[in-house]
Protein backbone atom coordinates (compact mmCIF):
# COMPACT_ATOMS: atom_id res chain seq x y z
CA UNK A 1 0.00 0.00 0.00
CA UNK A 2 1.37 3.40 -0.99
CA UNK A 3 -0.95 5.48 1.19
CA UNK A 4 -1.51 5.54 4.95
CA UNK A 5 0.65 4.81 7.95
CA UNK A 6 1.04 1.97 10.39
CA UNK A 7 1.60 -1.75 9.90
CA UNK A 8 -2.11 -2.61 10.07
CA UNK A 9 -5.16 -1.50 8.11
CA UNK A 10 -8.61 -1.30 9.72
CA UNK A 11 -11.79 -1.82 7.71
CA UNK A 12 -14.95 -0.47 9.27
CA UNK A 13 -17.97 -2.04 7.54
CA UNK A 14 -21.23 -0.77 8.95
CA UNK A 15 -19.68 -0.35 12.43
CA UNK A 16 -17.84 -3.69 12.54
CA UNK A 17 -14.05 -3.41 12.42
CA UNK A 18 -11.63 -5.82 10.77
CA UNK A 19 -7.85 -5.47 11.02
CA UNK A 20 -5.47 -6.68 8.29
CA UNK A 21 -1.81 -6.30 7.50
CA UNK A 22 -0.82 -4.32 4.46
CA UNK A 23 0.56 -7.35 2.62
CA UNK A 24 -2.68 -9.25 3.06
CA UNK A 25 -4.59 -6.54 1.20
CA UNK A 26 -2.40 -6.93 -1.89
CA UNK A 27 -3.84 -10.34 -2.81
CA UNK A 28 -7.13 -10.08 -0.95
CA UNK A 29 -9.92 -12.16 -2.62
CA UNK A 30 -12.34 -9.20 -2.59
CA UNK A 31 -11.52 -6.86 -5.47
CA UNK A 32 -12.75 -3.71 -3.76
CA UNK A 33 -10.58 -4.33 -0.70
CA UNK A 34 -7.51 -5.26 -2.76
CA UNK A 35 -7.84 -1.96 -4.66
CA UNK A 36 -6.86 -0.14 -1.46
CA UNK A 37 -3.33 -1.48 -1.83
CA UNK A 38 -2.71 0.58 -4.97
CA UNK A 39 -4.15 3.88 -3.74
CA UNK A 40 -1.65 6.75 -3.95
CA UNK A 41 -3.67 9.56 -2.41
CA UNK A 42 -6.66 10.17 -0.22
CA UNK A 43 -8.73 10.97 -3.30
CA UNK A 44 -7.99 7.51 -4.67
CA UNK A 45 -9.00 5.99 -1.34
CA UNK A 46 -12.34 7.81 -1.33
CA UNK A 47 -13.11 6.37 -4.74
CA UNK A 48 -12.98 2.90 -3.18
CA UNK A 49 -14.51 3.47 0.26
CA UNK A 50 -16.98 5.97 1.74
CA UNK A 51 -14.74 7.64 4.31
CA UNK A 52 -11.16 7.52 5.63
CA UNK A 53 -9.67 8.32 9.06
CA UNK A 54 -6.01 9.27 8.61
CA UNK A 55 -5.20 9.17 12.34
CA UNK A 56 -6.36 5.59 12.89
CA UNK A 57 -5.70 4.48 9.32
CA UNK A 58 -9.31 3.29 9.19
CA UNK A 59 -11.41 2.85 6.03
CA UNK A 60 -15.16 3.12 6.40
CA UNK A 61 -17.67 1.32 4.13
CA UNK A 62 -21.33 2.15 4.52
CA UNK A 63 -22.49 -1.38 3.75
CA UNK A 64 -24.39 -4.19 5.45
CA UNK A 65 -22.14 -5.42 8.27
CA UNK A 66 -23.77 -8.84 8.67
CA UNK A 67 -23.55 -9.52 4.94
CA UNK A 68 -19.85 -8.65 4.98
CA UNK A 69 -19.40 -11.03 7.90
CA UNK A 70 -20.75 -13.88 5.78
CA UNK A 71 -18.51 -12.78 2.92
CA UNK A 72 -15.51 -12.91 5.27
CA UNK A 73 -16.49 -16.47 6.20
CA UNK A 74 -16.23 -17.27 2.50
CA UNK A 75 -12.75 -15.69 2.39
CA UNK A 76 -11.62 -17.82 5.32
CA UNK A 77 -13.38 -21.14 4.69
CA UNK A 78 -14.41 -21.09 1.02
CA UNK A 79 -18.18 -21.45 1.51
CA UNK A 80 -20.58 -18.60 0.72
CA UNK A 81 -24.20 -18.72 1.88
CA UNK A 82 -27.06 -16.27 2.24
CA UNK A 83 -27.57 -14.25 5.39
CA UNK A 84 -30.69 -15.55 7.19
CA UNK A 85 -33.73 -13.28 6.93
CA UNK A 86 -32.02 -11.10 4.30
CA UNK A 87 -33.35 -10.56 0.79
CA UNK A 88 -31.45 -12.62 -1.77
CA UNK A 89 -31.25 -9.67 -4.17
CA UNK A 90 -29.88 -7.37 -1.47
CA UNK A 91 -27.20 -9.89 -0.58
CA UNK A 92 -26.37 -10.31 -4.26
CA UNK A 93 -25.97 -6.54 -4.50
CA UNK A 94 -23.47 -6.75 -1.62
CA UNK A 95 -21.56 -9.47 -3.48
CA UNK A 96 -21.31 -7.32 -6.59
CA UNK A 97 -20.10 -4.36 -4.52
CA UNK A 98 -17.26 -6.33 -2.96
CA UNK A 99 -16.25 -7.92 -6.26
CA UNK A 100 -17.88 -11.37 -6.07
CA UNK A 101 -20.44 -13.02 -8.34
CA UNK A 102 -23.40 -15.30 -7.93
CA UNK A 103 -21.30 -18.26 -9.05
CA UNK A 104 -19.31 -18.02 -5.80
CA UNK A 105 -22.42 -19.02 -3.83
CA UNK A 106 -22.97 -22.59 -2.77
CA UNK A 107 -25.20 -24.59 -5.09
CA UNK A 108 -28.33 -24.41 -2.92
CA UNK A 109 -28.04 -20.63 -2.47
CA UNK A 110 -27.29 -20.14 -6.16
CA UNK A 111 -30.54 -21.92 -7.00
CA UNK A 112 -32.43 -19.61 -4.64
CA UNK A 113 -30.86 -16.57 -6.25
CA UNK A 114 -31.64 -17.75 -9.79
CA UNK A 115 -35.27 -18.46 -8.87
CA UNK A 116 -35.69 -15.07 -7.21
CA UNK A 117 -34.12 -13.18 -10.10
CA UNK A 118 -36.20 -15.13 -12.63
CA UNK A 119 -39.40 -14.29 -10.76
CA UNK A 120 -38.68 -10.56 -10.53
CA UNK A 121 -36.83 -10.23 -13.88
CA UNK A 122 -34.36 -8.05 -12.01
CA UNK A 123 -30.59 -8.11 -12.20
CA UNK A 124 -27.87 -5.99 -10.73
CA UNK A 125 -24.76 -4.90 -12.51
CA UNK A 126 -21.49 -3.84 -10.95
CA UNK A 127 -21.72 -0.55 -9.10
CA UNK A 128 -20.21 2.27 -11.13
CA UNK A 129 -17.42 4.23 -9.44
CA UNK A 130 -18.29 7.69 -8.20
CA UNK A 131 -17.48 10.77 -10.15
CA UNK A 132 -19.37 9.94 -13.34
CA UNK A 133 -21.08 13.31 -13.51
CA UNK A 134 -18.85 14.38 -16.38
CA UNK A 135 -17.05 17.19 -14.55
CA UNK A 136 -13.27 17.33 -14.49
CA UNK A 137 -10.66 15.51 -16.54
CA UNK A 138 -12.04 12.08 -15.74
CA UNK A 139 -15.50 13.05 -16.92
CA UNK A 140 -14.07 14.37 -20.16
CA UNK A 141 -12.09 11.18 -20.67
CA UNK A 142 -15.23 9.14 -20.15
CA UNK A 143 -17.15 11.28 -22.62
CA UNK A 144 -14.38 10.86 -25.17
CA UNK A 145 -14.37 7.10 -24.67
CA UNK A 146 -18.15 7.02 -24.99
CA UNK A 147 -18.00 9.02 -28.20
CA UNK A 148 -15.37 6.65 -29.60
CA UNK A 149 -17.52 3.66 -28.73
CA UNK A 150 -20.70 5.20 -30.14
CA UNK A 151 -19.81 4.02 -33.63
CA UNK A 152 -19.62 0.40 -32.47
CA UNK A 153 -22.99 0.38 -30.72
CA UNK A 154 -24.88 -0.58 -33.84
CA UNK A 155 -22.52 -3.53 -34.30
CA UNK A 156 -23.19 -4.75 -30.77
CA UNK A 157 -26.92 -4.26 -31.28
CA UNK A 158 -26.80 -6.29 -34.47
CA UNK A 159 -24.82 -9.02 -32.74
CA UNK A 160 -27.36 -9.28 -29.91
CA UNK A 161 -30.21 -9.25 -32.40
CA UNK A 162 -28.84 -12.30 -34.20
CA UNK A 163 -27.37 -14.14 -31.20
CA UNK A 164 -29.96 -13.49 -28.46
CA UNK A 165 -33.53 -14.07 -29.68
CA UNK A 166 -35.04 -12.54 -26.51
CA UNK A 167 -32.86 -9.43 -26.37
CA UNK A 168 -35.23 -7.15 -28.32
CA UNK A 169 -38.40 -7.05 -30.38
CA UNK A 170 -36.42 -7.14 -33.64
CA UNK A 171 -34.52 -10.22 -32.39
CA UNK A 172 -37.80 -12.02 -31.67
CA UNK A 173 -39.14 -11.20 -35.14
CA UNK A 174 -35.91 -12.42 -36.72
CA UNK A 175 -35.99 -15.61 -34.66
CA UNK A 176 -39.60 -16.26 -35.68
CA UNK A 177 -38.76 -15.87 -39.37
CA UNK A 178 -35.77 -18.19 -38.99
CA UNK A 179 -37.93 -20.82 -37.29
CA UNK A 180 -40.48 -20.61 -40.12
CA UNK A 181 -37.74 -21.17 -42.70
CA UNK A 182 -36.46 -24.20 -40.78
CA UNK A 183 -39.96 -25.69 -40.54
CA UNK A 184 -40.69 -25.11 -44.22
CA UNK A 185 -37.36 -26.63 -45.23
CA UNK A 186 -37.97 -29.72 -43.09
CA UNK A 187 -41.47 -30.18 -44.49
CA UNK A 188 -40.15 -29.99 -48.06
CA UNK A 189 -37.34 -32.43 -47.22
CA UNK A 190 -39.74 -34.96 -45.70
CA UNK A 191 -42.30 -34.57 -48.50
CA UNK A 192 -39.65 -35.09 -51.19
CA UNK A 193 -39.08 -38.66 -49.93
CA UNK A 194 -42.75 -39.65 -50.29
CA UNK A 195 -43.57 -41.96 -53.23
CA UNK A 196 -46.51 -39.72 -54.14
CA UNK A 197 -44.11 -36.79 -54.52
CA UNK A 198 -42.07 -38.60 -57.19
CA UNK A 199 -44.77 -40.71 -58.78
CA UNK A 200 -46.26 -38.10 -61.13
CA UNK A 201 -42.88 -37.44 -62.65
CA UNK A 202 -41.65 -41.11 -62.55
CA UNK A 203 -38.26 -40.08 -61.25
CA UNK A 204 -35.91 -42.23 -59.23
CA UNK A 205 -34.21 -41.27 -55.99
CA UNK A 206 -31.00 -40.60 -57.86
CA UNK A 207 -32.78 -38.22 -60.18
CA UNK A 208 -34.37 -36.49 -57.23
CA UNK A 209 -30.91 -35.97 -55.72
CA UNK A 210 -29.59 -34.03 -58.70
CA UNK A 211 -29.75 -30.26 -58.88
CA UNK A 212 -30.56 -29.86 -62.56
CA UNK A 213 -31.93 -26.79 -64.26
CA UNK A 214 -35.40 -28.37 -64.37
CA UNK A 215 -35.37 -29.31 -60.66
CA UNK A 216 -34.40 -25.81 -59.60
CA UNK A 217 -37.39 -24.34 -61.45
CA UNK A 218 -39.81 -26.67 -59.67
CA UNK A 219 -41.69 -25.40 -56.58
CA UNK A 220 -39.64 -27.58 -54.21
CA UNK A 221 -36.42 -26.35 -55.82
CA UNK A 222 -37.48 -22.72 -55.53
CA UNK A 223 -38.45 -23.16 -51.87
CA UNK A 224 -35.18 -24.90 -51.13
CA UNK A 225 -33.17 -22.16 -52.84
CA UNK A 226 -34.99 -19.46 -50.87
CA UNK A 227 -34.36 -21.26 -47.56
CA UNK A 228 -30.70 -21.76 -48.41
CA UNK A 229 -30.40 -18.09 -49.33
CA UNK A 230 -31.89 -17.04 -45.99
CA UNK A 231 -29.65 -19.35 -43.96
CA UNK A 232 -26.59 -18.24 -45.91
CA UNK A 233 -27.33 -14.55 -45.41
CA UNK A 234 -28.01 -15.10 -41.72
CA UNK A 235 -24.75 -16.98 -41.25
CA UNK A 236 -22.73 -14.33 -43.12
CA UNK A 237 -24.23 -11.46 -41.11
CA UNK A 238 -23.62 -13.25 -37.82
CA UNK A 239 -20.01 -13.87 -38.84
CA UNK A 240 -19.49 -10.21 -39.75
CA UNK A 241 -20.92 -8.81 -36.51
CA UNK A 242 -19.22 -11.39 -34.24
CA UNK A 243 -16.57 -10.10 -31.85
CA UNK A 244 -14.14 -12.98 -32.23
CA UNK A 245 -14.12 -14.60 -35.67
CA UNK A 246 -12.06 -17.62 -34.58
CA UNK A 247 -14.36 -18.31 -31.65
CA UNK A 248 -17.36 -17.95 -33.96
CA UNK A 249 -16.02 -20.66 -36.28
CA UNK A 250 -15.34 -23.02 -33.35
CA UNK A 251 -18.84 -22.86 -31.88
CA UNK A 252 -20.81 -26.12 -32.33
CA UNK A 253 -24.01 -24.44 -33.54
CA UNK A 254 -22.10 -22.48 -36.18
CA UNK A 255 -20.39 -25.66 -37.36
CA UNK A 256 -23.81 -27.28 -37.68
CA UNK A 257 -25.04 -24.29 -39.70
CA UNK A 258 -22.10 -24.72 -42.06
CA UNK A 259 -22.75 -28.46 -42.41
CA UNK A 260 -26.39 -27.76 -43.25
CA UNK A 261 -25.65 -25.08 -45.88
CA UNK A 262 -22.56 -26.49 -47.60
CA UNK A 263 -24.16 -29.62 -49.19
CA UNK A 264 -26.47 -27.51 -51.35
CA UNK A 265 -23.61 -25.53 -52.87
CA UNK A 266 -21.48 -28.67 -53.29
CA UNK A 267 -24.30 -30.37 -55.15
CA UNK A 268 -24.80 -27.38 -57.42
CA UNK A 269 -21.07 -27.18 -58.16
CA UNK A 270 -20.92 -30.91 -58.89
CA UNK A 271 -23.76 -30.50 -61.36
CA UNK A 272 -22.03 -27.58 -63.05
CA UNK A 273 -18.57 -29.14 -63.34
CA UNK A 274 -19.47 -32.82 -63.93
CA UNK A 275 -22.57 -32.40 -66.07
CA UNK A 276 -26.11 -33.53 -65.45
CA UNK A 277 -25.67 -37.01 -67.00
CA UNK A 278 -22.21 -37.92 -65.72
CA UNK A 279 -21.49 -41.22 -64.01
CA UNK A 280 -21.13 -39.44 -60.67
CA UNK A 281 -24.55 -37.89 -61.01
CA UNK A 282 -26.15 -41.18 -62.09
CA UNK A 283 -24.71 -42.92 -59.04
CA UNK A 284 -26.39 -40.35 -56.86
CA UNK A 285 -25.09 -41.80 -53.57
CA UNK A 286 -22.88 -38.86 -52.69
CA UNK A 287 -25.58 -36.36 -53.53
CA UNK A 288 -28.21 -38.22 -51.54
CA UNK A 289 -25.97 -38.13 -48.48
CA UNK A 290 -25.30 -34.43 -48.95
CA UNK A 291 -28.97 -33.70 -49.51
CA UNK A 292 -29.99 -35.58 -46.38
CA UNK A 293 -27.52 -33.54 -44.32
CA UNK A 294 -30.12 -30.79 -44.43
CA UNK A 295 -31.67 -32.53 -41.44
CA UNK A 296 -29.08 -30.63 -39.38
CA UNK A 297 -31.27 -27.57 -39.85
CA UNK A 298 -33.48 -28.91 -37.08
CA UNK A 299 -30.63 -28.31 -34.63
CA UNK A 300 -30.78 -24.61 -35.58
CA UNK A 301 -33.90 -24.49 -33.43
CA UNK A 302 -31.61 -24.73 -30.40
CA UNK A 303 -30.90 -21.01 -30.85
CA UNK A 304 -34.52 -20.21 -30.08
CA UNK A 305 -35.66 -22.83 -27.53
CA UNK A 306 -34.36 -23.11 -23.98
CA UNK A 307 -35.11 -26.84 -23.88
CA UNK A 308 -32.67 -27.71 -26.67
CA UNK A 309 -30.07 -25.32 -25.27
CA UNK A 310 -30.43 -26.99 -21.87
CA UNK A 311 -29.92 -30.42 -23.43
CA UNK A 312 -26.75 -29.34 -25.21
CA UNK A 313 -25.33 -27.57 -22.16
CA UNK A 314 -26.10 -30.59 -19.97
CA UNK A 315 -24.31 -32.96 -22.33
CA UNK A 316 -21.33 -30.62 -22.40
CA UNK A 317 -21.06 -30.42 -18.62
CA UNK A 318 -21.84 -34.09 -17.93
CA UNK A 319 -19.45 -35.71 -20.39
CA UNK A 320 -17.69 -37.48 -17.50
CA UNK A 321 -20.96 -38.98 -16.31
CA UNK A 322 -21.81 -39.98 -19.88
CA UNK A 323 -18.45 -41.72 -20.24
CA UNK A 324 -19.02 -43.45 -16.90
CA UNK A 325 -22.45 -44.62 -18.09
CA UNK A 326 -20.91 -45.96 -21.30
CA UNK A 327 -18.24 -47.83 -19.33
CA UNK A 328 -20.89 -49.42 -17.11
CA UNK A 329 -22.83 -50.62 -20.15
CA UNK A 330 -19.73 -51.97 -21.93
CA UNK A 331 -18.53 -53.91 -18.88
CA UNK A 332 -21.95 -55.42 -18.27
CA UNK A 333 -22.32 -56.20 -21.97
CA UNK A 334 -19.02 -58.07 -22.04
CA UNK A 335 -19.93 -60.16 -18.98
CA UNK A 336 -23.54 -61.02 -19.85
CA UNK A 337 -22.90 -61.66 -23.55
CA UNK A 338 -20.14 -64.17 -22.75
CA UNK A 339 -22.27 -65.96 -20.17
CA UNK A 340 -25.39 -66.02 -22.36
CA UNK A 341 -23.45 -67.42 -25.32
CA UNK A 342 -22.03 -70.12 -23.06
CA UNK A 343 -25.37 -71.10 -21.52
CA UNK A 344 -27.42 -70.98 -24.72
CA UNK A 345 -24.98 -72.34 -27.29
CA UNK A 346 -21.61 -73.23 -25.79
CA UNK A 347 -22.68 -76.05 -23.47
CA UNK A 348 -23.99 -79.38 -24.70
CA UNK A 349 -27.38 -79.26 -22.95
CA UNK A 350 -29.35 -80.97 -25.70
CA UNK A 351 -30.71 -77.78 -27.28
CA UNK A 352 -28.62 -75.09 -28.87
CA UNK A 353 -29.96 -71.60 -29.47
CA UNK A 354 -28.62 -70.45 -32.84
CA UNK A 355 -29.37 -66.81 -32.00
CA UNK A 356 -26.50 -66.94 -29.49
CA UNK A 357 -23.97 -68.52 -31.83
CA UNK A 358 -21.33 -65.88 -30.99
CA UNK A 359 -20.58 -63.30 -28.33
CA UNK A 360 -21.09 -60.32 -30.71
CA UNK A 361 -24.56 -61.70 -31.55
CA UNK A 362 -25.33 -62.04 -27.84
CA UNK A 363 -24.27 -58.40 -27.27
CA UNK A 364 -27.39 -57.26 -29.13
CA UNK A 365 -29.60 -59.23 -26.76
CA UNK A 366 -27.74 -57.81 -23.74
CA UNK A 367 -28.14 -54.17 -24.79
CA UNK A 368 -31.87 -54.43 -25.53
CA UNK A 369 -32.39 -56.31 -22.24
CA UNK A 370 -30.42 -53.87 -20.09
CA UNK A 371 -32.33 -50.93 -21.54
CA UNK A 372 -35.62 -52.85 -21.03
CA UNK A 373 -36.53 -52.48 -24.70
CA UNK A 374 -36.94 -56.18 -25.46
CA UNK A 375 -37.71 -56.45 -29.18
CA UNK A 376 -38.31 -60.19 -28.86
CA UNK A 377 -36.27 -61.08 -31.93
CA UNK A 378 -34.03 -63.29 -29.77
CA UNK A 379 -34.51 -64.68 -26.28
CA UNK A 380 -33.02 -67.43 -24.10
CA UNK A 381 -34.72 -70.85 -24.11
CA UNK A 382 -32.79 -72.66 -21.39
CA UNK A 383 -33.54 -72.28 -17.69
CA UNK A 384 -30.05 -70.98 -16.81
CA UNK A 385 -30.25 -68.57 -19.74
CA UNK A 386 -33.58 -67.18 -18.54
CA UNK A 387 -32.24 -66.72 -15.01
CA UNK A 388 -29.28 -64.88 -16.49
CA UNK A 389 -31.70 -62.76 -18.53
CA UNK A 390 -33.56 -61.68 -15.39
CA UNK A 391 -30.30 -60.74 -13.68
CA UNK A 392 -29.27 -58.81 -16.81
CA UNK A 393 -32.49 -56.76 -16.82
CA UNK A 394 -32.27 -55.89 -13.12
CA UNK A 395 -28.57 -55.03 -13.41
CA UNK A 396 -29.30 -52.78 -16.38
CA UNK A 397 -31.90 -50.80 -14.43
CA UNK A 398 -29.50 -50.28 -11.52
CA UNK A 399 -26.47 -49.40 -13.66
CA UNK A 400 -28.41 -46.92 -15.80
CA UNK A 401 -29.99 -45.25 -12.77
CA UNK A 402 -26.72 -44.48 -10.97
CA UNK A 403 -25.29 -41.79 -13.32
CA UNK A 404 -28.74 -40.51 -14.27
CA UNK A 405 -29.05 -38.73 -10.91
CA UNK A 406 -26.00 -36.56 -11.58
CA UNK A 407 -27.18 -35.83 -15.12
CA UNK A 408 -30.64 -34.86 -13.85
CA UNK A 409 -29.28 -32.36 -11.31
CA UNK A 410 -27.02 -30.85 -13.95
CA UNK A 411 -29.98 -30.57 -16.34
CA UNK A 412 -32.05 -28.71 -13.73
CA UNK A 413 -29.16 -26.34 -12.95
CA UNK A 414 -28.56 -25.62 -16.65
CA UNK A 415 -32.26 -25.00 -17.18
CA UNK A 416 -32.40 -22.46 -14.35
CA UNK A 417 -29.28 -20.68 -15.64
CA UNK A 418 -30.67 -20.38 -19.17
CA UNK A 419 -34.11 -19.42 -17.87
CA UNK A 420 -32.59 -16.62 -15.80
CA UNK A 421 -30.61 -15.36 -18.78
CA UNK A 422 -33.77 -15.38 -20.89
CA UNK A 423 -35.65 -13.46 -18.18
CA UNK A 424 -32.82 -10.94 -17.99
CA UNK A 425 -33.06 -10.19 -21.70
CA UNK A 426 -36.84 -10.17 -21.37
CA UNK A 427 -36.48 -7.13 -19.12
CA UNK A 428 -34.84 -5.16 -21.94
CA UNK A 429 -37.58 -6.33 -24.29
CA UNK A 430 -40.26 -5.01 -21.90
CA UNK A 431 -38.46 -1.66 -21.76
CA UNK A 432 -38.48 -1.52 -25.55
CA UNK A 433 -42.25 -2.03 -25.61
CA UNK A 434 -42.77 0.69 -23.00
CA UNK A 435 -40.59 3.19 -24.80
Amino acid sequence: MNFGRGPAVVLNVGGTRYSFSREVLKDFPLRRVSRLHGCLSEQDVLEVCDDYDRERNEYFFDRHSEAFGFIMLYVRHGHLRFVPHMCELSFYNELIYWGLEGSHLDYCCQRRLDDRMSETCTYYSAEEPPGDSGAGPRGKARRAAAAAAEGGKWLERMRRTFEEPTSSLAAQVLATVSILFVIVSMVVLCASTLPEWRAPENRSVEEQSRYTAESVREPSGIIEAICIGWFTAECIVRFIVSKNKCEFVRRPLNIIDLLAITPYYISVLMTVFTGENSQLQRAGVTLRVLRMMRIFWVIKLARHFIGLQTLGLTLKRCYREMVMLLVFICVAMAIFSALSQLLENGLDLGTKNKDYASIPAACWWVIISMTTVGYGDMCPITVPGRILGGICVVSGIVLLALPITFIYHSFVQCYHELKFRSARYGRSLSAEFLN
Side-chain angles (χ1 to χ4, degrees), residues 183-195 197 292 294-295:
I183 294 175
V184 170
S185 177
M186 289 298 99
V187 170
V188 172
L189 176 63
C190 296
S192 63
T193 60
L194 294 174
W197 186 279
M292 203 53 61
R294 289 187 302 169
I295 200 67

Side-chain angles (χ1 to χ4, degrees), residues 351-414:
T351 58
K352 288 191 175 183
N353 194 339
K354 295 182 179 180
D355 292 334
Y356 298 82
S358 64
I359 292 180
C363 286
W364 169 249
W365 170 79
V366 173
I367 190 65
I368 64 175
S369 299
M370 291 184 64
T371 56
T372 66
V373 175
Y375 289 118
D377 54 343
M378 56 188 300
C379 59
I381 59 177
T382 63
V383 175
R386 291 177 178 177
I387 295 176
L388 180 67
I391 299 175
C392 178
V393 172
V394 175
S395 301
I397 295 174
V398 174
L399 292 177
L400 292 176
L402 291 177
I404 292 299
T405 305
F406 299 99
I407 299 175
Y408 165 74
H409 286 296
S410 179
F411 180 87
V412 173
Q413 183 180 6
C414 294

